[in-house]
Amino acid sequence: MSNIGNSVKVVRDICTTGHKLRQKLKAATRIPLNHIVIITSESFILEACYSSFGNDIEDELNVRSVRAMTQEEFDNLYDEDEYEWSENPKYKVGLINHISLTDYFDGLMRDFSHQVNNLRKERGMQVTDKADLVICSLPNDKFVNHIMKHYAEFCKETCCDKIVWFLQTDTKVNSLLLKKVEVSFDVM
């Protein structure tokens, strides 16, 4: 088998292993993770991870970066106990075993964006239709704060001109909204 053929096989195996590790960690693929670690002494595996195949691994597993290295390099940089591992004779793959709040909110934001776009479709709206997204939530809602922090990106993903955020102060409604953000559109 050629070097490219070997690289493709290894990358496919790494992605399969990464998906299994995500399942084991109960980390849905929609939640971006900071990085994946591949530990190996095989130079062709290191080269595959740092070639364009590394981008394929990032995309497939929704990780921000691929870090391929020898065991010695890893030991100098990281704590092995912070990772969930899967090993085979040529390499081992590790995913960090905790998800940051930012990563979690990024995943929720992706889901929320998908829900908003589905609402637009259900209402017969076209991509070119201008709309304001109206969000009603509890004061100090960390998820809504995260959306507002990424305002421009979220507006672009949802084809909205602007986001209007109303604070919900009615205590009877507050108990119903703890796990829910209400969404409506003002079509222009």
Side-chain angles (χ1 to χ4, degrees), residues 59-186:
D59 292 343
E60 177 68 23
L61 295 175
N62 194 14
V63 294
R64 292 188 175 95
S65 68
V66 174
R67 300 178 185 175
M69 60 194 72
T70 64
Q71 183 68 53
E72 183 180 347
E73 291 169 320
F74 178 86
D75 292 340
N76 289 329
L77 296 170
Y78 302 102
D79 179 2
E80 199 155 330
D81 293 337
E82 290 186 11
Y83 292 82
E84 188 67 41
W85 295 99
S86 180
E87 296 185 45
N88 76 32
K90 293 191 182 220
Y91 60 88
K92 67 182 186 179
V93 176
L95 282 177
I96 200 146
N97 59 19
H98 60 276
I99 298 170
S100 74
L101 194 55
T102 299
D103 291 342
Y104 179 72
F105 281 152
D106 284 348
L108 287 179
M109 195 167 83
R110 182 180 292 171
D111 280 353
F112 189 53
S113 173
H114 183 72
Q115 291 172 0
V116 168
N117 287 324
N118 283 340
L119 277 172
R120 288 177 62 92
K121 286 179 196 171
E122 286 173 15
R123 295 182 181 178
M125 296 175 72
Q126 302 299 316
V127 174
T128 55
D129 291 342
K130 294 185 177 211
D132 293 341
L133 177 63
V134 179
I135 300 175
C136 181
S137 73
L138 297 173
N140 300 316
D141 185 296
K142 290 180 181 178
F143 175 59
V144 175
N145 289 338
H146 187 79
I147 288 174
M148 300 310 275
K149 190 166 122 182
H150 300 281
Y151 184 90
E153 175 189 349
F154 191 78
C155 284
K156 183 179 176 186
E157 287 179 13
T158 57
C159 304
C160 291
D161 287 337
K162 66 181 178 181
I163 299 172
V164 180
W165 181 14
F166 289 102
L167 295 178
Q168 180 62 300
T169 55
D170 182 341
T171 55
K172 290 179 183 176
V173 179
N174 278 352
S175 63
L176 299 173
L177 288 175
L178 286 174
K179 299 286 183 196
K180 182 180 174 188
V181 177
E182 291 185 356
V183 178
S184 64
F185 288 102
D186 286 339

